[in-house]
Amino acid sequence: MLDHGAPPRTPPLETSVPGFGARLMRRKPVEALVAEGGQGEGGALRRSLGMWQLTMISIGATLGTGIFVVLGGAVPKAGPAVTIAFVIAGLTALFSALSYAELAGTIPVAGSSYSYAYATMGELVAWVCGWCLVLEYGVSVAAVAVGWGEYLNELLDGTIGVTIPDVLSSAPGEGGVINLPGLIVVMLAMVFLLGGARESAVVNTIMVGVKIVTLVIFCAIGFMGFKSGNYKDFMPLGMTGVGAASASLFFSYIGFDAASTAGEEAKNPKRDLPRAIMLSLLIVTVLYVLVAAVAVGAWNWKQFAGSEATLAAIMNDVTGQTFWGTMLAAGAVISIASVVLTVLYGQTRILFAMSRDGLVPKVFGKVSGKTGTPRVNTVIVSLFCGLLASLIPLGKLVDATSIGTLFAFGLVNIAVIVLRYTRPDMPRTFKVALGPVFPVLGFVFCAYNMFSLDAITWVVFGVWMAVGLVFYFLYGARRSRLASEPAQEK
């Protein structure tokens, strides 16, 4: 227990209880996490991001494939009630966002929920959370890149009348050899990220503006084809279908936590991170529900099955011409590219934090003195994500991403409660209302959505976690800084 009457000081590294179990539960003091902010191998990250840029990073990482592509696969599961599925997924994200906002303002570091777990629940749980984030960010980059290729083909078809052949635009097993567009967009994002965080944020802000305008135009034109009869059979597959759609659509909300990964590059993280997280989630949720409502009103829900570039197809159908669908495809190409950019950014910063703690190789923590970015880290992650995007089908990537994210979000909700109990004296620039009620609801919603995913997704998740635990015990547990540094009072 902490002595709340004593002067503030960094808690000692926990070695009071010897043994294997104690090593797995060792926690990293919050003060140590914050003090190390920005420091890497050979250099430091640069604090150059304000609240508006942080908000754009979150929107950029969230608003993309989920609404432009995944909507087409969710409607056949829920019917017109897909709007309810979006609300359920949004509530799951909201409760978790509240927890993220509190922790981001209290522990403003690059590791996001990995660092929050390290400070509250110990090293093993932190590793599990970090490994889930690798699944969330790394695999979602690939999933988003695959969706980008669908709209690129729509754009090419509407402008020059040609498309990239399936052999070069589809994954093996879907009629192709390699998804070349998916690989290309990841490599382009890598080039921007290597230039620096501030420069990447400027590019992202422009792309976010384009995607918001694109969706607003879709709503305006799609409403012209609105038919109330399309809502008659509102919930054809019952709540089971809505639950399944909600679990898939949660993929649409992945990314609002991206601002938390920029904690060591924000100018005023304690103030700006909570605001950016909540504002971005509000903007994204309103757009999602509005777009889904208009889309289902314009098309009968059965028409969505097997559709690609769904929103562009709806606009073509409503207007009777290809111009508007081509324009939306152009907006989607830019919009989805911004998701690749920002999510790839988040992945590199999480691995940066894990490397600094010794849990992954030091190469991920090296910072370029010229650009203030982890350049080698960025190249390695980009190549990995590009490989996934070029070889794995979209559907498999979406569900795998969702389950990893839901698990990590559930841990964040627990971390808020734990930190409230163990460190009630810590200054908090944002606090979740109603004590533990909202974090508990956030955990329950995450669990509900996880158990709505199919058995194959759980098998993939189990294999992923098993591989991660093997790596931790063979590498991370031995090289952890908390294992090698002597306990000391600071």
Side-chain angles (χ1 to χ4, degrees):
M1 293 291 291
L2 295 171
D3 180 5
H4 300 305
R9 59 184 175 85
T10 301
L13 303 181
E14 299 185 12
T15 58
S16 56
V17 181
F20 180 71
R23 293 197 298 271
L24 299 182
M25 294 298 293
R26 55 196 172 208
R27 291 178 291 173
K28 189 169 184 178
V30 173
E31 290 81 359
L33 282 166
V34 176
E36 292 175 354
Q39 299 302 313
E41 288 283 326
L45 302 178
R46 297 174 183 172
R47 293 195 179 275
S48 59
L49 305 177
M51 193 200 79
W52 180 247
Q53 292 164 311
L54 293 169
T55 303
M56 291 300 103
I57 286 174
S58 282
I59 295 176
T62 309
L63 198 60
T65 299
I67 194 64
F68 283 106
V69 180
V70 177
L71 175 65
V75 173
K77 298 177 182 178
V82 70
T83 50
I84 294 179
F86 263 117
V87 171
I88 293 174
L91 283 173
T92 304
L94 172 62
F95 289 126
S96 295
L98 291 169
S99 295
Y100 262 100
E102 177 168 328
L103 291 173
T106 308
I107 314 173
V109 292
S112 186
S113 51
Y114 153 76
S115 295
Y116 309 152
Y118 213 162
T120 56
M121 292 176 280
E123 186 171 283
L124 179 61
V125 177
W127 168 261
V128 169
C129 188
W131 194 242
C132 286
L133 290 176
V134 172
L135 184 63
E136 171 191 348
Y137 280 84
V139 179
S140 66
V141 167
V144 171
V146 173
W148 183 81
E150 294 180 8
Y151 274 96
L152 178 63
N153 261 339
E154 186 74 18
L155 176 61
L156 293 173
D157 186 40
T159 52
I160 59 177
V162 300
T163 58
I164 302 172
D166 287 346
V167 69
L168 294 177
S169 62
S170 299
E174 291 194 335
V177 174
I178 185 173
N179 189 323
L180 192 59
L183 176 62
I184 289 172
V185 72
V186 175
M187 294 300 102
L188 287 173
M190 178 188 74
V191 171
F192 282 117
L193 289 175
L194 290 175
R198 183 177 180 180
E199 292 76 11
S200 301
V202 171
V203 173
N204 174 65
T205 299
I206 295 170
M207 291 194 289
V208 168
V210 170
K211 75 170 72 178
I212 291 176
V213 170
T214 300
L215 290 175
V216 170
I217 291 174
F218 168 80
C219 290
I221 293 177
F223 190 74
M224 294 167 54
F226 193 91
K227 302 179 185 70
S228 59
N230 287 338
Y231 277 89
K232 187 175 180 180
D233 189 11
F234 185 68
M235 199 181 293
L237 302 176
M239 278 305 298
T240 301
V242 172
S246 172
S248 293
L249 287 173
F250 186 76
F251 176 82
S252 306
Y253 289 93
I254 292 171
F256 74 81
D257 58 320
S260 67
T261 66
E264 296 174 22
E265 290 161 285
K267 295 177 182 177
N268 190 344
K270 287 182 176 291
R271 181 196 68 188
D272 292 343
L273 287 178
R275 295 179 181 181
I277 290 170
M278 298 310 300
L279 180 59
S280 63
L281 185 61
L282 173 63
I283 292 171
V284 166
T285 302
V286 170
L287 280 171
Y288 279 167
V289 174
L290 186 60
V291 169
V294 171
V296 174
W299 264 14
N300 182 280
W301 69 274
K302 295 179 182 178
Q303 290 179 260
F304 286 81
S307 65
E308 291 187 356
T310 305
L311 301 188
I314 290 174
M315 291 186 78
N316 289 339
D317 192 35
V318 169
T319 62
Q321 51 185 293
T322 60
F323 170 78
W324 291 105
T326 301
M327 191 207 69
L328 186 135
V333 166
I334 296 172
S335 303
I336 297 173
S338 76
V339 182
V340 175
L341 177 69
T342 48
V343 175
L344 193 63
Y345 166 86
Q347 175 68 96
T348 60
R349 270 46 180 186
I350 290 165
L351 286 172
F352 171 83
M354 296 176 74
S355 174
R356 186 169 56 202
D357 292 331
L359 300 184
V360 298
K362 288 184 178 181
V363 66
F364 291 100
K366 291 183 178 179
V367 176
S368 166
K370 182 178 180 181
T371 63
T373 60
R375 303 192 72 174
V376 178
N377 177 347
T378 301
V379 171
I380 293 173
V381 171
S382 298
L383 291 175
F384 172 75
C385 293
L387 184 65
L388 287 181
S390 62
L391 299 176
I392 308 297
L394 176 63
K396 302 299 182 184
L397 293 170
V398 168
D399 286 345
T401 302
S402 293
I403 195 168
T405 305
L406 287 164
F407 191 87
F409 283 10
L411 290 178
V412 169
N413 287 296
I414 295 174
V416 167
I417 298 172
V418 172
L419 197 62
R420 286 272 192 98
Y421 176 75
T422 58
R423 299 296 303 275
D425 58 317
M426 287 192 68
R428 290 167 169 82
T429 55
F430 178 89
K431 291 189 72 172
V432 181
L434 300 181
V437 175
F438 281 177
V440 168
L441 286 174
F443 179 82
V444 170
F445 271 93
C446 287
Y448 169 77
N449 278 281
M450 284 184 73
F451 286 108
S452 295
L453 292 168
D454 59 36
I456 295 298
T457 303
W458 275 94
V459 171
V460 171
F461 181 65
V463 171
W464 177 262
M465 294 309 301
V467 171
L469 289 174
V470 169
F471 185 89
Y472 171 73
F473 286 113
L474 292 181
Y475 182 93
R478 299 169 182 268
R479 296 176 180 264
S480 164
R481 283 183 57 197
L482 292 192
S484 60
E485 293 179 354
Q488 54 183 330
E489 299 281 344
K490 295 187 178 181

